[in-house]
Every structure is written in C-alpha cells, then in structure tokens.
Amino acid sequence: MFQEFWQKFELNFIADNRWQYLTNGLAVTLRVTFFAVLMGLFLGFAVAMIRNAHEHTGRFKILNALCSLYLTVIRGTPVLVQLLLIYFAVFASVRVDKAFTAILAFGINSGAYQAEIFRSGIQSLPKGQFEAGRSLGFTYFQTMTTIIMPQAIRNVIPTLCNEFIVLLKETSVASYIALEDLTKGGDIIRSRTFDPFMPLMAVALIYLAIVMVLTYGVKKLEQRLAKASH
Amino acid sequence: MAETLIRVEHLHKRFGDNVVLKDISVEIGKGDVVCVVGPSGGGKSTFLRCLNRLEEPSGGHIYFDGVDICDKKTNIDLHRQHMGMVFQQFNLFPHMTVMKNLTTAPMKLQKKSQEEAERYAYELLEKVGLRDRASDYPSALSGGQQQRIAIVRALCMQPEVMLFDEPTSALDPEMVGEVLNVMRDLARDKMTMIVVTHEMGFAREVANRVMFLDDGEFVEEGPPDVFFAQPKSERLKSFLGKVL
C-alpha cells in the first residue's frame, strides 16, 4: 500500500517536475493576495473615512454617494461574477496580465469589506472619545487623526487579519480566468495524471497550512494587543 | 454682577419632535460658579452641551466673550479652546499616557513647546495630587483619579470657563470627595464654572448661583442660601423635598 502511495506521489509531483505547478501556483496566490489586500486596505480606509466624515460633518455628499453605491454593488454580488466581469467585459479588448486582473478584482472586492471593518472599528469607540477631542478644540480631522483612528485601527487589526485569511482562500476562484494560482496548479496536475485525489489534496493541505499559521499569528497578535492596551 | 462671559438668549433645542429646551435666557458672569440642578431628563446636560455646541441648538443665540457662537460663520473649534469640559464618563484617551492626554491639545492647538506644555501640566498635576501618575495610562487609575486628570486636561488649555457635566455621577461614593475638592479649589481660584450636578451639598457650599431646570425651562434661580431655604415655585419645592 505504501508502495502504491509512493508511485502516485512520484507520478503527481516528481515526474516532469510537476511539483513546480504547486510552488509556482503558490507564489502567484500569495502575490495576488498580498497586493489585493494592500489595495483593499487603501480603498477600505478611504471609503470609511469619507463615509464617517459625511456622517459627522455633512461634507463630501457626492463622494459619499459613490461610496455607498460601491459598497452595495460589491457586497451584493458574488466575487466570481465581479472577476469575470472585469476580465471579460472591462478588459475585453485589451490584453492584460491575469494576475493584475485578479489583484484588481479582489482588491476592489476586499476594499468594500475592509471599509465596513474600519467603520465598525470607529463606531465601536465610545462617543465620548470624539466629544472629548472636539471639546478641547480639535477640528473634526484632528480628532480623527489623533484620537479616533489610533484606537480604531488597533481595535480592528485582528479582524483585518482575518479578512486577509479569507481573501487568501477566495483567490482560488481566479482559476476561472485561468490564472495559474495554487488551485489551478493542482488542477493542471490532475489533468495530466488523471489522478484527482492527490494533487487536489495537496492543494488543500497547502491552503490549510498557511491559514493555520496565519490564524496562529493573529491569535498571538490579539494577545499582545490585549496586553499592551490598557 | 461681574462682567458677562456667556449670554444665552432664547435658546431652544429639539430632538425631532421632542422639545428639550424651551426658550432659555441666562447670563453668566466672570467668576460665577453656577450649579444647574433639576430632575433627570429635565434638559440640564443638553443645556450645558449647547454652550460649546456639542449639541447644535435649534434656535436662539449664545454669546461667548461677545461673539455669537451659534452663528454658522463662527469657528467653534477656536472658541472651544477657551471652554473646558469635563464629562460624566471622564473620556480620557486610553491610548495615551496621562502626560500625553494633558499636552496633546496645548501643543497642537496652541503651539506650545513640549517643555512648556509639560511644565504647566506638572504644575496642575501637583495641585490635584497626581504628579507621580504622569507616565501611567488612564486604565491604571481609579475613577476619581481619572476624573481629576480629566479636569486637569481641560485646564491645560487655560480656558475661561469650565463646563462640568455631572462630573461625580459615575464615581464610587468614596471617590466623589476628591473630585469635588479639586472643583472647590478651582472655584476658589475664581474660575468661571457651570456645573450640572446632583450634589446638593456642593451646590450649597461652593456655588454663588443655583439654577433649577425642569422640563426644559429655567424655573428658578438664586444664591444657594435663598434657593435651598426659600424656594418660591411649587416645582422647586417638590424637587427639593425629594432630594434633600
């Protein structure tokens, strides 16, 4: 039985250097996730700031309406549909890098969720923090930058990290546009060796291992933040 | 009465259909220590919060140092620098040390140097007996200590008036005294103070004027000896009967 396992292992991973489908795929997955997260951070932060400023000061009416539209559309439609739309419709007539398309789609998608995370972080603070800042004479923006955001960001770091973990797994749907990420890598091996179990199992295990490591890291981070804060 | 610092004219405040303040007019002179008392929900806190526009008044005018701060063209942030406020829940900034809590606003808003801001902060900390807590975070302090720090934070901006919104209501009974002592010292130093409070003893002892606010109206006011001993209106009589 062990011999049979070894034969399959050799066929799927060793022969023709097929393991490289997995390592190269993993590199693509990590790269896409990383840049999508980064893009989502910027988008999410900006959207949260605009929405909050509008709520408090009444300014940025048009921008705020755009942000609301963005949140509604992105959170109301499947990420796969968004990815396909961007790849086949928006970039229909131009040849663009698939990884770039994926980063764009997942970044835009993640931004909507991160915006809500930032907003909940702001809203979870007692109203008195904001009022204390304003009562000292700080403007709305000074209050946000010196008093509210340092606390809000610290509060949402664990939740943001979890969003990154979710996104890592979500990028697997990029196989739909034939991006050769980790999932696609396993699938290519399957199509070569006609053995679905081992390569896809390997893919699953790799995702699982990364997620477990990241989850552990988030837990440690949470404990450190809890200890450091008040 | 001394020179007028705050003049309130026909102040109205509604939350939706709910009228909280009905046509309030009052003058507060420099050095006045005014205690505002009355039943819960009577509009005391709302009145106080209208004075620095933490609540936006629905109508009327508030003149502070002769400037109408209800005017939309007035830069309220500038005026708030001269109006210290102390909250029921202290509202210290938990991510800053005590010293940072005290010096951030003077340094950012009044362009004081760190050295200057800290020197003044230490001076005030000394007065409230908390000089040794400068490098602590607020969470390491008791409620009474936090509230004393909150008072110092407001004082660090060298305000012309101090607004107190039920400063002892969230405190354990044994800590009320230490906060009231600080406020008593402040009154002795001729700080203008407007204090929303349930501490009748403090009002009687420290205030030079006591105001009774009930159901959104200023019913009655007077110096404490008259206010407490010879209430005129039935509403104040019934209120004092319950609390004294």
Side-chain angles (χ1 to χ4, degrees):
Chain A
M1 196 192 116
F2 179 76
Q3 204 161 16
E4 192 188 342
F5 178 85
W6 175 248
Q7 271 177 2
K8 280 193 162 187
F9 188 88
E10 195 173 22
L11 171 72
N12 279 305
F13 302 126
I14 313 287
D16 292 340
N17 281 337
R18 290 199 178 107
W19 55 273
Q20 285 184 349
Y21 286 115
L22 295 183
T23 51
N24 291 343
L26 177 61
V28 170
T29 290
L30 290 178
R31 199 167 69 231
V32 167
T33 305
F34 178 78
F35 286 109
V37 157
L38 216 60
M39 185 177 159
L41 260 182
F42 280 112
L43 263 176
F45 188 78
V47 168
M49 288 297 96
I50 292 168
R51 305 235 310 152
N52 197 69
H54 177 74
E55 230 168 81
H56 274 94
T57 66
R59 281 190 270 177
F60 310 121
K61 240 194 187 115
I62 296 169
L63 271 176
N64 182 61
L66 284 175
C67 289
S68 296
L69 183 69
Y70 162 68
L71 293 178
T72 309
V73 171
I74 295 300
R75 298 198 306 154
T77 54
V79 64
L80 178 55
V81 176
Q82 295 162 15
L83 177 73
L84 293 176
L85 267 174
I86 290 181
Y87 187 64
F88 290 114
V90 177
F91 291 137
S93 52
V94 271
R95 283 175 61 104
V96 286
D97 183 31
K98 283 175 185 144
F100 175 77
T101 313
I103 289 168
L104 203 62
F106 291 115
I108 291 173
N109 180 268
S110 181
Y113 291 94
Q114 294 191 42
E116 291 302 275
I117 293 172
F118 277 121
R119 213 157 88 100
S120 74
I122 295 169
Q123 284 174 343
S124 71
L125 295 177
K127 213 171 114 222
Q129 287 294 308
F130 186 77
E131 291 183 343
R134 296 306 303 270
S135 79
L136 285 167
F138 285 118
T139 63
Y140 168 82
F141 287 99
Q142 286 169 329
T143 306
M144 289 306 287
T145 52
T146 53
I147 293 154
I148 302 301
M149 288 325 289
Q151 297 185 63
I153 289 174
R154 179 189 213 146
N155 288 349
V156 300
I157 285 176
T159 323
L160 280 178
C161 291
N162 284 322
E163 166 68 15
F164 303 164
I165 294 174
V166 169
L167 195 64
L168 176 85
K169 291 177 288 177
E170 238 174 32
T171 55
S172 66
V173 303
S175 327
Y176 260 85
I177 59 169
L179 173 70
E180 291 188 13
D181 69 338
L182 178 57
T183 306
K184 191 73 185 174
D187 201 41
I188 291 173
I189 299 177
R190 178 197 58 78
S191 69
R192 300 277 156 85
T193 62
F194 301 108
D195 175 13
F197 180 77
M198 200 170 267
L200 293 178
M201 203 56 179
V203 166
L205 285 174
I206 294 171
Y207 277 116
L208 183 64
I210 298 173
V211 168
M212 282 173 68
V213 168
L214 288 177
T215 307
Y216 178 79
V218 173
K219 212 174 103 190
K220 283 280 152 209
L221 184 71
E222 249 172 28
Q223 287 168 352
R224 270 190 59 181
L225 283 173
K227 224 188 285 170
S229 77
H230 7 304
Chain B
M1 187 162 48
E3 192 185 341
T4 301
L5 184 64
I6 297 174
R7 193 166 81 243
V8 179
E9 285 179 359
H10 306 296
L11 177 65
H12 287 77
K13 176 65 187 175
R14 287 188 307 274
F15 292 107
D17 289 337
N18 184 18
V19 179
V20 186
L21 297 176
K22 306 169 189 165
D23 193 25
I24 289 180
S25 297
V26 65
E27 280 192 24
I28 289 155
K30 280 200 174 127
D32 267 352
V33 177
V34 181
C35 279
V36 183
V37 303
S40 300
K44 305 185 298 289
S45 286
T46 306
F47 166 70
L48 193 77
R49 291 160 56 84
C50 278
L51 293 182
N52 65 353
R53 264 178 61 192
L54 277 188
E55 286 316 337
E56 209 60 57
S58 311
H61 298 280
I62 297 167
Y63 296 91
F64 175 60
D65 264 344
V67 179
D68 184 0
I69 57 170
C70 290
D71 191 331
K72 294 277 178 256
K73 274 175 260 163
T74 306
N75 181 356
I76 188 66
D77 297 319
L78 226 52
H79 290 278
R80 282 190 185 133
Q81 294 184 22
H82 306 291
M83 311 171 103
M85 190 164 204
V86 176
F87 300 86
Q88 187 176 345
Q89 299 295 342
F90 330 136
N91 296 341
L92 292 179
F93 307 132
H95 61 302
M96 299 178 184
T97 62
V98 165
M99 188 45 81
K100 278 267 168 243
N101 264 279
L102 304 183
T103 55
T104 302
M107 283 167 63
K108 282 212 168 176
L109 301 174
Q110 298 177 332
K111 308 292 173 216
K112 283 192 182 174
S113 69
Q114 183 175 349
E115 195 195 0
E116 196 186 355
E118 285 189 358
R119 186 168 356 100
Y120 191 55
Y122 271 125
E123 209 175 287
L124 292 173
L125 281 176
E126 182 88 54
K127 275 193 192 167
V128 302
L130 291 171
R131 195 190 161 92
D132 53 334
R133 308 311 295 265
S135 52
D136 284 335
Y137 281 89
S139 58
L141 306 177
S142 72
Q145 291 171 327
Q146 288 192 48
Q147 191 63 302
R148 282 186 278 160
I149 298 294
I151 294 173
V152 170
R153 179 176 67 183
L155 289 175
C156 277
M157 290 295 286
Q158 298 174 290
E160 289 177 61
V161 59
M162 288 283 285
L163 312 174
F164 292 87
D165 190 2
E166 303 198 22
T168 57
S169 296
L171 293 174
D172 291 337
E174 73 267 26
M175 294 172 183
V176 171
E178 60 191 75
V179 171
L180 291 183
N181 279 336
V182 170
M183 293 168 63
R184 200 174 282 123
D185 289 345
L186 212 53
R188 203 171 293 139
D189 292 343
K190 300 286 176 251
M191 173 61 79
T192 311
M193 296 161 68
I194 305 173
V195 188
V196 170
T197 186
H198 294 289
E199 298 287 334
M200 296 303 154
F202 177 82
R204 196 195 296 255
E205 180 202 354
V206 180
N208 67 331
R209 298 165 67 188
V210 187
M211 292 181 175
F212 178 55
L213 190 59
D214 180 23
D215 201 20
E217 294 170 309
F218 262 129
V219 181
E220 195 173 333
E221 85 144 283
D225 43 345
V226 181
F227 183 92
F228 288 108
Q230 300 149 25
K232 291 189 272 294
S233 65
E234 282 308 314
R235 278 151 89 180
L236 178 54
K237 274 180 202 165
S238 119
F239 174 72
L240 289 177
K242 277 178 225 156
V243 297
L244 289 182

